[in-house]
Amino acid sequence: MPPFACRLPAAFAGRPVSLATRHGKERLLARPFRQGLDLRLVLAAGFDTDLLGTFSGERPRPADALETCRLKAEAGMDATGLDLGLASEGSFGSHPSLPWLTVGTEWLTFVDRREGLVIAESLVAPRTNFDGRRVSPQDDIQDWLDRVGFPSHALIARPHGRDGAGQPLIKGLRTPAALAEALDRCGRASADGSVWLETDMRAHCNPTRRGAIRSLAFRLVRRIARPCPACGAPGWGRCDVRVGLPCRWCGHPTERLLAEVWGCVACAHQEERPRQDGQLTADPGDCPRCNP
Ligand SMILES: [Zn+2]
Ligand SMILES: [Zn+2]
């Protein structure tokens, strides 16, 4: 009998999970985990997730997002003494293969210390307002403010060209009055009067990001509830992809997704699965031979 056969999802029923967050993410995550797995989230209070780096760059991040997310979950478990932990992390920047496109990637990691399992899911958000710009006193920034969703999405201001200790860094700007005051204060602290303005990507300041985190929570809950077909451990799901979808005209492999690789977090079992959209060939426009 597979070792995990009887443990899902009843194995988790009623158990508390530490959640390491400072930015109101418990409101996004509590319901999917309670409804899907009967897990109860417990805030890891007094634990400073900023020790692992911050979005706004006061502290550089020591590891990549996936690793940071796991470290955060572990730190939350250390703080609460619980053997289940959850943490969320986001990263924002250029799309890996489409550099003109800005994307947000959200990570959510679940750790079960009793069973030695780490189950992670990520989601590339098709929509993000992540952006930043230099603002000089004479600039009209209304179009930019509209585009980044201000004031429903908050902003961060700092003097342009003067990062670091002793310089103002004003986060969570949500009203035109607060923004005007921050522009004035940071402008006076800057050598040339200009200000660096950027989107505040912390979850409680960013409804677009909150939507992505909520979708990701449901995705992770479904994954945790899915047992490995070989050993029965929770967390069966996509772990890798294979590219090489053949061109519709000449059959040459392209860089487009060919198949998904699904794997187990406890054993070495893997299975290859066709694309979920059923597409079997790639557009010749993506082919290195037909469209070099
Ligand atoms: Zn071709
Ligand atoms: Zn397995």
Side-chain angles (χ1 to χ4, degrees):
M1 187 169 153
F4 287 95
C6 305
R7 301 194 193 159
L8 252 182
F12 297 130
R15 282 170 69 188
V17 186
S18 88
L19 173 65
T21 183
R22 290 204 314 162
H23 300 142
K25 288 178 196 152
E26 68 276 13
R27 287 192 289 277
L28 307 171
L29 301 171
R31 198 162 58 93
F33 279 83
R34 191 184 63 240
Q35 289 183 342
L37 298 164
D38 197 14
L39 283 169
R40 190 165 50 83
L41 300 190
V42 175
L43 270 183
F47 162 67
D48 184 3
T49 57
D50 284 356
L51 290 174
L52 297 166
T54 59
F55 283 121
S56 31
E58 306 100 289
R59 295 205 186 99
R61 308 199 145 189
D64 67 24
L66 180 60
E67 180 68 1
T68 303
C69 200
R70 189 185 60 78
L71 291 172
K72 230 190 236 185
E74 301 261 0
M77 294 159 78
D78 290 341
T80 54
L82 297 174
D83 55 10
L84 296 176
L86 184 67
S88 142
E89 180 71 15
S91 68
F92 307 91
S94 300
H95 189 283
S97 50
L98 308 168
W100 62 91
L101 195 69
T102 304
V103 292
T105 307
E106 298 291 344
W107 302 89
L108 201 53
T109 299
F110 178 79
V111 178
D112 179 347
R113 262 187 189 156
R114 198 191 285 177
E115 303 292 347
L117 303 175
V118 178
I119 306 173
E121 269 289 359
S122 62
L123 180 143
V124 177
R127 223 159 54 85
T128 174
N129 70 327
F130 177 72
D131 204 0
R133 62 162 285 166
R134 180 181 179 170
V135 181
S136 298
Q138 69 279 8
D139 289 351
D140 177 2
I141 58 170
Q142 193 54 51
D143 285 351
W144 187 81
L145 293 176
D146 291 344
R147 192 151 46 78
V148 298
F150 179 81
S152 68
H153 293 66
L155 297 172
I156 296 176
R158 69 180 105 199
H160 182 258
R162 282 210 180 151
D163 290 349
Q167 295 299 327
L169 171 75
I170 309 169
K171 303 203 251 184
L173 298 167
R174 296 165 181 279
T175 65
L179 175 60
E181 195 189 321
L183 286 172
D184 181 56
R185 193 174 143 211
C186 294
R188 277 187 278 114
S190 149
D192 61 1
S194 68
V195 177
W196 182 256
L197 209 52
E198 66 188 37
T199 47
D200 193 332
M201 301 309 289
R202 293 173 299 163
H204 67 293
C205 292
N206 198 304
T208 300
R209 218 188 137 210
R210 283 205 293 277
I213 294 171
R214 198 178 289 116
S215 307
L216 180 59
F218 282 103
R219 191 183 282 199
L220 179 62
V221 163
R222 280 196 300 272
R223 184 179 189 132
I224 294 169
R226 206 183 295 124
C228 167
C231 76
W236 174 250
R238 188 168 108 157
C239 61
D240 204 356
V241 293
R242 289 218 302 125
V243 296
L245 193 69
C247 168
R248 189 163 66 237
W249 286 355
C250 75
H252 192 78
T254 67
E255 285 299 305
R256 301 289 305 283
L257 182 81
L258 173 68
E260 297 183 348
V261 180
W262 282 40
C264 175
V265 296
C267 77
H269 186 64
Q270 289 195 336
E271 283 175 16
E272 202 170 289
R273 302 189 159 206
R275 283 173 67 110
Q276 291 188 8
D277 63 7
Q279 211 177 309
L280 298 174
T281 56
D283 189 280
D286 294 325
C287 174
R289 267 195 197 157
C290 298
N291 185 23

